[in-house]
Amino acid sequence: MSGNIQLLTDTLATARSEGRSALIAYLPAGFPTVDGGIEAIKAVIDGGADVVEVGLPHSDPVLDGPVIQTADDIALRGGVKIADVMRTVREAHAATGKPILVMTYWNPIDRYGVERFTAELAEAGGAGCILPDLPVQESALWREHAEKHGLATVFVVAPSSKDERLARITAAGSGFVYAASLMGVTGTRATVSSQAEDLVGRTRATGTGLPVCVGLGVSNATQAAEVAGFADGVIVGSAFVKAILDAPDDAAGLEAVRALAGDLAKGVRGQA
């Protein structure tokens, strides 16, 4: 069975044809529970998210700030496994028809087996993987299997990335490029980094035509509108996770992420 890279490509193209950025939401699998995480994904899509990244909880999440680390810890203590991540992708995609990616560090895939992971992700209806710590020069095995199974390989670029490296990454990647708006870990911030627009411009200048989506720091409609002014997609993670962490119960958490997605969806459409 082939994965859904084409669905991801088409979704981003549709947003562009509508004169707006896509809204990409991030939520970890198994948080607050496996079932609760699936319902949260459905809620953010119901609220207006175009694409969802499902986080594979990891014990050493070097890119993630304290909010997502807390959620990962809850998921890991709940016993979340890769099988639960695949189930989350399968059920979220089946229920919504939207492109669902997995965001994961390389070590869990390496231990699980690249062929097994890509085959199972494609079978679950996944659209691809975001791999923040896989160096492009060491990615040939992953890319071979991802391409075979119809999965996108999304690399992360940062303001420190030199133009030569940006060219290598965009040439090797597929689906879109994840532009980290600042040097640092994930988390909500009062303002969006001024480096983000420059990074998007330099990434586009490589000429591959891959959409460039910006994450790290966006938490409200005003910031989403700002980023939507220069990026193909706006990625929001910590704000969704925080909404669930701050909610008094599961039902309130679902309503909070649905409302936040609705607010952010207005932002990417310039209606904030």
Side-chain angles (χ1 to χ4, degrees):
M1 181 173 175
S2 182
N4 273 311
I5 185 174
Q6 192 60 51
L7 176 63
L8 174 64
T9 300
D10 292 347
T11 299
L12 294 171
T14 296
R16 178 181 289 182
S17 73
E18 294 172 356
R20 66 177 180 88
S21 283
L23 174 59
I24 303 175
Y26 166 93
L27 284 165
F31 168 73
T33 61
V34 176
D35 288 342
I38 293 167
E39 292 306 312
I41 292 169
K42 293 179 188 176
V44 298
I45 290 173
D46 187 46
D50 299 290
V51 179
V52 173
E53 304 171 7
V54 175
L56 194 161
H58 189 48
S59 56
D60 186 25
V62 293
L63 186 73
D64 296 311
V67 172
I68 290 175
Q69 284 186 25
T70 298
D72 277 6
D73 186 53
I74 290 168
L76 291 167
R77 283 191 282 115
V80 70
K81 301 283 192 294
I82 287 181
D84 298 311
V85 177
M86 298 298 179
R87 182 188 150 210
T88 298
V89 172
R90 178 181 293 106
E91 295 193 14
H93 173 65
T96 67
K98 296 292 186 180
I100 312 292
L101 300 111
V102 170
M103 185 165 187
T104 178
Y105 297 97
W106 179 244
N107 184 254
I109 294 178
D110 194 34
R111 288 183 313 190
Y112 197 72
V114 175
E115 168 60 25
R116 181 184 176 194
F117 190 94
T118 51
E120 290 183 7
L121 182 56
E123 190 275 329
C129 256
I130 301 160
L131 301 159
D133 66 340
L134 177 62
V136 66
Q137 65 270 21
E138 297 173 17
S139 67
L141 178 66
W142 164 265
R143 286 188 286 122
E144 175 191 339
H145 288 289
E147 188 173 341
K148 181 172 78 171
H149 289 291
L151 298 169
T153 298
V154 179
F155 291 112
V156 178
V157 298
S160 60
S161 301
K162 299 289 190 282
D163 289 350
E164 180 186 3
R165 178 166 172 75
L166 290 178
R168 289 188 70 184
I169 287 172
T170 56
S174 54
F176 64 91
V177 179
Y178 185 127
S181 67
L182 42 77
M183 299 302 294
V185 297
T186 58
T188 61
R189 287 173 171 82
T191 59
V192 175
S193 167
S194 60
Q195 297 171 304
E197 187 169 2
D198 175 67
L199 177 59
V200 170
R202 291 195 298 119
T203 304
R204 283 186 178 146
T206 61
T208 63
L210 272 183
V212 185
C213 303
V214 171
L216 270 64
V218 177
S219 61
N220 59 48
T222 302
Q223 292 173 338
E226 180 186 344
V227 173
F230 57 82
D232 299 294
V234 179
I235 303 168
V236 181
S238 295
F240 283 119
V241 173
K242 189 173 186 302
I244 294 174
L245 287 171
D246 289 348
D249 55 51
D250 291 350
L254 294 179
E255 193 47 52
V257 294
R258 185 181 289 109
L260 176 58
D263 197 38
L264 292 163
K266 289 179 181 175
V268 300
R269 287 168 173 79
Q271 300 166 356

